[in-house]
Amino acid sequence: MYFHLPRSILEMHRLTSTDDNRETLQKILVRFDESAATNGHQLIALKHNILELHKEEIDKLFEPEVNPSSELLAEKFRDGKIEFFIPNHIAAQVLKGTKKRIQFMFRIDTEFSATIYARDPKDSKNNFMRYSFAWNTNNFPDYAQMIPKSETGSCYNFGLCLKLINQFYGYVKAIGAAPTGNFKVYPSVKDNLSPIKTVIKTDDGELMWLAMPCHF
């Protein structure tokens, strides 16, 4: 059984750890209905439904399945009974040099290995690249515990253009200041969204950054 693999899952490698001493954080966790990645400093999680390839498409692209255990593992994955992991270096390798139109698919081979396939839908010969890999552990952090549950008290909504964070970080990096700050959200009396402010100490004095609510 083969499944589609959204590019958005592979791109999560950007938020995994690069510390060789934190092997459990050097992977993307993939479940049938959700995927996640963390480097210990930030977390990204994506809710989704991974689609199976239709039988006609499988017969067109692949040889007949000869590993019945792989079929069983695929059924368990679809039923939410197992999960698998993509090492960050594998995800980066699979994505390297690919165009947006490239399609990705995967098959779980064993409890600790899988294969990712990449193909260009414009290739009439149905050629594809194949990446087989193994993972050493499934000891991934319980990231659900990191997500704040309370929406009462001092929790406010704010609208933030993500591009602003990158621009501000570029400025902080350029002046040699510490790229950390205590962010605070202030309730707005005029809007459903609120501004967010942080103050950072620099060699030249106290730097304030205020992000106004964005509207689209």
Side-chain angles (χ1 to χ4, degrees), residues 90-177:
I90 293 294
Q93 180 182 356
V94 172
L95 288 170
K96 186 176 182 180
T98 60
K99 296 181 172 63
K100 294 295 184 181
R101 68 171 182 264
I102 297 299
Q103 298 175 344
F104 304 101
M105 302 156 283
F106 74 90
R107 182 188 68 190
I108 300 177
D109 300 324
T110 72
E111 290 185 358
F112 299 103
S113 68
T115 301
I116 293 176
Y117 304 86
R119 66 180 289 264
D120 188 336
K122 292 188 176 182
D123 185 353
S124 59
K125 296 182 180 179
N126 289 324
N127 295 319
F128 49 79
M129 298 295 294
R130 173 175 174 167
Y131 306 86
S132 295
F133 58 93
W135 60 87
N136 298 324
T137 179
N138 60 0
N139 186 23
F140 196 78
D142 183 5
Y143 63 90
Q145 300 298 319
M146 307 177 193
I147 304 173
K149 301 297 190 297
S150 175
E151 296 184 359
T152 60
S154 59
C155 181
Y156 304 101
N157 294 325
F158 66 93
L160 174 64
C161 175
L162 298 180
K163 185 178 180 181
L164 297 177
I165 298 177
N166 189 48
Q167 293 172 340
F168 179 58
Y169 171 73
Y171 169 73
V172 169
K173 183 178 179 181
I175 65 174

Side-chain angles (χ1 to χ4, degrees), residues 18-104:
T18 56
D19 186 347
D20 290 336
N21 295 320
R22 309 191 74 181
E23 187 268 342
T24 57
L25 303 185
Q26 292 182 319
K27 299 178 177 66
I28 303 166
L29 167 67
V30 184
R31 294 174 176 151
F32 184 72
D33 59 353
E34 186 174 37
S35 297
T38 180
N39 58 12
H41 302 287
Q42 55 185 325
L43 165 72
I44 185 171
L46 174 68
K47 291 187 181 295
H48 53 62
N49 284 317
I50 291 182
L51 302 177
E52 299 176 31
L53 269 68
H54 295 299
K55 184 178 184 304
E56 296 77 11
E57 190 173 5
I58 293 175
D59 293 341
K60 180 182 178 181
L61 296 174
F62 302 101
E63 296 294 328
E65 179 62 68
V66 295
N67 184 358
S69 64
S70 177
E71 288 289 304
L72 178 60
L73 290 170
E75 292 178 6
K76 288 184 176 181
F77 173 74
R78 183 184 57 195
D79 295 338
K81 296 179 180 178
I82 65 170
E83 54 202 20
F84 85 100
F85 300 85
I86 305 175
N88 53 10
H89 70 279
I90 293 294
Q93 180 182 356
V94 172
L95 288 170
K96 186 176 182 180
T98 60
K99 296 181 172 63
K100 294 295 184 181
R101 68 171 182 264
I102 297 299
Q103 298 175 344
F104 304 101

